[in-house]
Amino acid sequence: EMEKQQSDNTEQIELNYEQLSELLNIITSSAPSKQDLDKCHNLIKSFSKNQKCIPLFLEHIKTNTKTSCRQLAAVLLSKKITKHYVRLEAQDKGEIDRQLLDCLSTEKQYLVAKAISTSVSKLIVTEFTSALATFQDNQQQLLAHLKQNQLLNFVLSDPEKYSTEHHHLFEINLYTIAELIENCDSDVLVGYLNEIKSIVKIALEKGTSKMRDNATMCLGNLVRNYDLLQIGEFKPLIPTIFDSIESFKEETVSHIYETLCDFNMKSLKFFENDFDSIVRKTFKLIESESYQIYTKMIFAELIQMVAECKKKIFTSNKYELLNVGVNIAFRLSSEEVDNIEKSEENEISLFEIGNRLLSVFSYTIKSSNIYPLVIDNVKKILSNPNANEFQRRAAISAVGVISEGCEESFRDDMDEIVNLLINCFNQEKNIAVKREVIISFDRLVEYFEDVMTAYHEQIIPMLITGLNETQSERIVESCLIELNYFIGYMDDELEDYQEKIIPLLINIVLNFKQLKLRSEALGALSTFIKACTDENLNKKLDFKGLITTCSSILTSTNLQPEENQLRGNSLRCIGEIAVKTKLTPTDIAPFSAIALEFAKQKQEYILTEAGFGYLGLVASIVDIDNDLDNLMNLAMDIIKDDSGVQTSKNKDEYGFDSDSEVEDGNVNNGNNIVNSDFIKAKCTTIVAVTQFLDSSSKRLSAKLSSDPTLSTSQDELVKNSFIRYLEPLINLFDELWDAVDDYINLELITAFRSLVVSTWRVDKPLGRALWIQTAFYNYEKFLEDTDDKDQAIKICEEIYMVILELGKDAFINQTGQQTNHLERILGITVKILSKKLSCQLNTADDEEEDEDTDEKLTNSATDLYMIIAEKLGNDFHPYLAKMYEYLSKYLDTKKSEYERSLMFATIAEVLRYCKVSVKFFCESLFTAINANLKKINKNTEETYRNIAYLLGVLYESDPTCEFLINKHQETAQILEFVFTMADKIGKENVIAALSKMVYSLKLDVNGSFFLSVTNTIMSNCPFTADYTENKAVLKFWFYFSYNSLLKGIVSGYTNSIGGDLSVEALNCYKENFGKFLGVVKYVCLNEKKCEFSQDDYSELKLVLNSFNDELKAAVLNYTNGLSEGEKAVFIKKLNN
């Protein structure tokens, strides 16, 4: 009957009490059929469109004997009540209000009452909104009107009137108040803050756990949603919470801390006067045995937030609370458990909480204060013969945990740290403690890769020792992982170990039974073989047994799907061996066939990735032939496959349509849910195919450029063999771009760029056409359409990478004429800076995360200015001249400090390459700099350093500019001011700018200004924060050295500037010579970070070789004072 009625009237239907009861019973039953559920949902949806649903839902809430049915009726009511309520007459509204209050007063089940209260809060918000529109100009009339609202009067009624029997009403009212604070306009609710304060106070002082819980929620919502000045009267309630917190139930305590941890830094200021007592109480709670691990983790989160926003709490009174916190951290991480190895598998433990506290302290407290405190504890524990394995593990772990935050101290003491860890590994018997040594080394390598490679003579033998501990597979596994990671940072040193390590890894693959270990060993082997530069590797080592074993693994029928990673690593290892040892296509033919079979495994994306990855890898040694048409056809088959898509909508707990996120592992695509593994397989296929084409394009491009014997026809033949596979893929990209739409994977965007670059290498006209006609068109369209800022960022990054590779070719057509693409790209950047992309018009729920993403998107736009200027050089000037007026607006002091700082940096980078523009804009830039120096937040580092950086660039880019020459004294004064205001990294930029100005203007080395500047520069280096600027200091010293010829300090130079060197200048040179060597040592040990090139080394060696005997002796004496690790690297770099 109901279905017939529904078909007659698709808009709405009517139900009676019994019919609705039957539907509610079916939905809340234990195992309803899908068919029945669908029918019930459709009927209730249609019924809910009818105004009569409201009284019937209320009747069920009052009279239905089944709790789950009452709760469902209350939930359904809350979904529809606002829509129908606003259309009712005042009398009917009053009746619904009375019935709701009646339901609340009689309902004994908290969850049902909570669902009813949602309707109450929604109706109050609705009434607030209506009243605010009516009485917006008269606050008195507004409050008088609202005082007649029976729902609001009920919620804000005196809690003292409730008897013990009716405590649940007070609990529910507190929950409703919290909802109102969250959802109501603050202009309305601010008139009720005194009443809310009284209610919250009673709940905290006299209430049940649930009352306290909800009262804390009220307080949290107030702090998040109101100006702190409006709610200052609530501050005295903070001690009330924490004074009696130990009497609260754990669930309530947990909720209180979760509420506090959910605040942003601004909101936390509300509590700052109570931070000291809160931290002390939290330290006491975190060691109490009354709380579970999860609750203690929340305690640690609050300590972290306090440390980040007000670290003085921990540093006052001679670091009293810091000492307490560090000692507690060590006690927590020394937790004794029944099985120390098994405890490592726990995601949350006291061990992890202790480490988290140490980590927090390390990056919030000054390194020179926290480092000795922790390291002294470590040494004390490790030197104590009675320390147990739990304490030793905690001590070793602490070293790695604080390493990132205490970078400067670690760099100074790295010799001692490395020796401490190595000795512990060699002496320790406990497996878990030995594994912790490796984990700590892993962290050190991650944060100090430039320094740690200098200790390879200690670290690699330790790992080799661990790999030989075959009785402990956990040690072997840890050493394999660390070895795989460590060798990624090593260069020439690998050749010293390849004959020891490769056989050891091969032995693990051949003889260990545990498949996971064999898989890790194959991964490490692949990494090691790939990193090796020895062309005679195949003559020194026998890979036959390994190839046979890999073949056996690949063809085995006994392996389970979860062991696909082993198969994938086997295939990758074969590929690396094939490339490095120059196997022939015939040798690898069987593996290529296996790779093709793997690629066909649509539902096993690990195998799909391995198959295509192998084929991409061996593309450098396998000629393209017709057989590879199968590969392209297979790729297209996989990409076009839609078997992973199923039509379905996400549902709420009752089966009704919901806007909530779908389950993990799936992606919501409109009405479809697409398995994420399915998407990954598709994207992996595309990425692997473009990787294959990328390798092929490099090989073919090299062949075309290096083989002068190729005739024009042969040249075209080689190109065509590549293009034959390219054109179908281009067409496929065109189809796929529209097909995937909302759930497009970021990897697809990268693959498109790879395709453009690969094509351009082999056939520049075709590559340009693909970029101009297809890729950029799609990128531009997608930027306009997407609501996802991360995807917009990715597209900007890929446009950057295309320009990086193609250079000027990115902006010209087939006939060599300029296209409008440069203007269009600049137009995109203007939209981003103006926040006019569609993805920027929608604000995220998480404002802090959204702000962070906005900054990344802005950065991606300014990066485009930099790369365009780098590739066009002075040719960028006409475009910059048009853009400058717009860009300079972002230097206005009315703009945010982030925007101003970023634009100073952007203009500096642009002028590094577009040097001709300096003389046109330097005067306006000086005006902007002087204006900004008066408007910079004294706690901000970035703007100061970018101003200093810009000044250095101006002088280095155009030292002949008359305006700059006349301004050099003023520039020095500006830099002096910035130096006094800036922190470490800003000071380094000031010194670098000073260096650039001096050597660019070729200032007189005998002048008092030069000599005073020299002492300032050399007293503040090397730079350990802005690494690349060390080269500016070296250039400054080279300039000084060029002027030292006539006094015999250096000889054999052809770069003499001439002139006589004063006695004062000569003494200044000698006095600062040791500091110059300190900079040389630093850049040698950190050449990657300092971007120290071979040309830089050549000029450095020219200076060093020109020194007289006195200075050469000084160099030798300096190297003798270095640690063995540093000395070896230092001498090797200079000798090479």
Side-chain angles (χ1 to χ4, degrees), residues 571 588-600 614-615 634:
L571 195 56
I588 65 171
F591 301 107
S592 299
I594 291 172
L596 280 168
E597 288 301 313
F598 278 7
K600 295 175 184 177
Y614 167 88
L615 293 166
L634 177 60

Side-chain angles (χ1 to χ4, degrees), residues 22-73:
E22 184 179 351
L23 296 178
L24 296 176
N25 277 319
I26 292 172
I27 294 172
T28 58
S29 62
S30 58
S33 70
K34 185 178 183 306
Q35 185 179 12
D36 285 347
L37 270 180
D38 289 342
K39 287 181 179 180
C40 291
H41 292 154
N42 290 330
L43 290 166
I44 287 182
K45 283 179 191 176
S46 297
F47 174 58
S48 297
K49 295 175 182 178
N50 191 326
Q51 226 175 57
K52 295 179 181 178
C53 71
I54 301 300
L56 200 54
F57 285 144
L58 284 168
E59 187 64 23
H60 269 278
I61 294 169
K62 286 189 286 186
T63 63
N64 198 308
T65 57
K66 191 176 175 184
T67 301
S68 59
C69 288
R70 294 202 308 278
Q71 185 177 352
L72 176 54

Side-chain angles (χ1 to χ4, degrees), residues 353-576:
I353 293 174
N355 281 344
R356 179 169 186 168
L357 290 177
L358 289 179
S359 176
V360 167
F361 295 143
S362 74
Y363 65 75
T364 54
I365 307 299
K366 194 174 180 182
S367 175
S368 57
N369 294 321
I370 183 65
Y371 175 81
L373 193 59
V374 174
I375 294 300
D376 285 350
N377 268 285
V378 170
K379 291 176 180 176
K380 191 183 300 182
I381 292 170
L382 295 180
S383 62
N384 180 2
N386 296 320
N388 61 33
E389 64 268 31
F390 306 103
Q391 293 168 323
R392 297 197 302 275
R393 181 176 69 143
I396 291 298
S397 178
V399 174
V401 164
I402 69 166
S403 56
E404 182 181 16
C406 299
E407 178 180 353
E408 192 172 342
S409 299
F410 266 79
R411 288 187 180 279
D412 292 340
D413 286 355
M414 193 59 78
D415 278 2
E416 183 180 9
I417 294 294
V418 169
N419 288 331
L420 182 148
L421 292 175
I422 294 288
N423 290 336
C424 182
F425 185 88
N426 292 334
Q427 297 169 12
E428 184 59 55
K429 303 298 181 185
N430 186 276
I431 291 172
V433 181
K434 297 191 82 160
R435 286 188 72 244
E436 206 59 51
V437 172
I438 299 168
I439 292 170
S440 286
F441 265 123
D442 187 71
R443 288 178 169 137
L444 293 179
V445 173
E446 180 182 357
Y447 305 136
F448 308 100
E449 78 274 4
D450 53 318
V451 174
M452 294 307 293
T453 51
Y455 296 95
H456 62 87
E457 292 181 352
Q458 294 153 278
I459 296 173
I460 295 292
M462 179 196 74
L463 295 176
I464 291 174
T465 300
L467 292 175
N468 279 306
E469 291 194 17
T470 53
Q471 77 282 3
S472 173
E473 292 185 343
R474 292 176 71 85
I475 292 291
V476 173
E477 181 183 353
S478 297
C479 288
L480 280 173
I481 295 171
E482 179 55 26
L483 178 66
N484 207 343
Y485 185 61
F486 186 62
I487 60 180
Y489 293 102
M490 296 175 66
D491 296 317
D492 301 338
E493 299 90 351
L494 283 177
E495 295 178 9
D496 300 334
Y497 301 104
Q498 62 191 24
E499 293 182 42
K500 292 181 180 178
I501 290 182
I502 291 179
L504 195 56
L505 295 174
I506 291 174
N507 177 61
I508 294 172
V509 175
L510 299 183
N511 299 314
F512 272 56
K513 292 182 179 180
Q514 191 186 121
L515 296 180
K516 185 179 179 182
L517 280 182
R518 298 174 76 189
S519 180
E520 290 287 354
L522 282 165
L525 262 173
S526 301
T527 303
F528 208 99
I529 294 169
K530 181 180 181 179
C532 283
T533 57
D534 190 347
E535 294 182 358
N536 298 313
L537 190 64
N538 58 326
K539 295 179 180 177
K540 295 181 179 179
L541 297 166
D542 183 10
F543 290 109
K544 290 180 182 177
L546 178 62
I547 293 173
T548 301
T549 299
C550 287
S551 177
S552 175
I553 292 171
L554 291 169
T555 56
S556 173
T557 57
N558 297 324
L559 294 179
Q560 300 301 312
E562 58 267 23
E563 287 144 5
N564 282 339
Q565 192 65 59
L566 175 61
R567 290 187 177 98
N569 282 347
S570 297
L571 195 56
R572 179 190 165 203
C573 191
I574 292 292
E576 296 292 357

Side-chain angles (χ1 to χ4, degrees), residues 449-450 453-454 456 489-493 1080-1088 1092-1094 1096-1098 1100-1101 1104 1125-1136:
E449 78 274 4
D450 53 318
T453 51
H456 62 87
Y489 293 102
M490 296 175 66
D491 296 317
D492 301 338
E493 299 90 351
V1080 173
K1081 180 199 83 169
Y1082 190 83
V1083 296
C1084 286
L1085 296 179
N1086 301 276
E1087 62 178 23
K1088 289 182 181 177
F1092 209 62
S1093 67
Q1094 195 57 50
D1096 295 323
Y1097 272 119
S1098 298
L1100 173 60
K1101 287 171 71 174
L1104 295 176
E1126 289 179 333
K1127 183 177 180 181
V1129 174
F1130 184 62
I1131 293 174
K1132 184 174 182 179
K1133 296 291 185 185
L1134 292 181
N1135 286 341
N1136 289 341

Side-chain angles (χ1 to χ4, degrees), residues 168-188:
H168 70 283
L169 288 178
F170 187 20
E171 293 170 353
I172 287 299
N173 280 349
L174 285 164
Y175 174 81
T176 308
I177 291 169
E179 290 282 293
L180 292 176
I181 295 169
E182 185 73 24
N183 297 306
C184 279
D185 190 304
S186 60
D187 289 340
V188 177

Side-chain angles (χ1 to χ4, degrees), residues 70 75 94 96 174 179 241 335 352 444 472 550 611 686 817 947 965 1073:
R70 294 202 308 278
V75 169
I96 288 178
L174 285 164
E179 290 282 293
I241 296 176
E335 166 202 23
E352 292 299 329
L444 293 179
S472 173
C550 287
I686 284 192
Q817 295 177 321
I947 286 175
I965 293 171
F1073 186 71

Side-chain angles (χ1 to χ4, degrees), residues 918-969:
V918 170
K919 59 177 171 285
F920 295 97
F921 307 129
C922 58
E923 188 171 352
S924 71
L925 287 172
F926 262 78
T927 302
I929 287 170
N930 282 313
N932 271 271
L933 290 176
K934 300 172 185 176
K935 295 283 187 179
I936 299 177
N937 185 331
K938 289 183 172 56
N939 296 321
T940 304
E941 168 79 0
E942 203 68 18
T943 311
Y944 284 124
R945 64 173 297 227
N946 288 339
I947 286 175
Y949 178 64
L950 172 60
L951 288 170
V953 167
L954 291 175
Y955 281 95
E956 196 168 37
S957 291
D958 192 355
T960 63
C961 174
E962 191 171 338
F963 177 85
L964 293 175
I965 293 171
N966 295 331
K967 284 281 186 179
H968 88 271
Q969 290 284 1

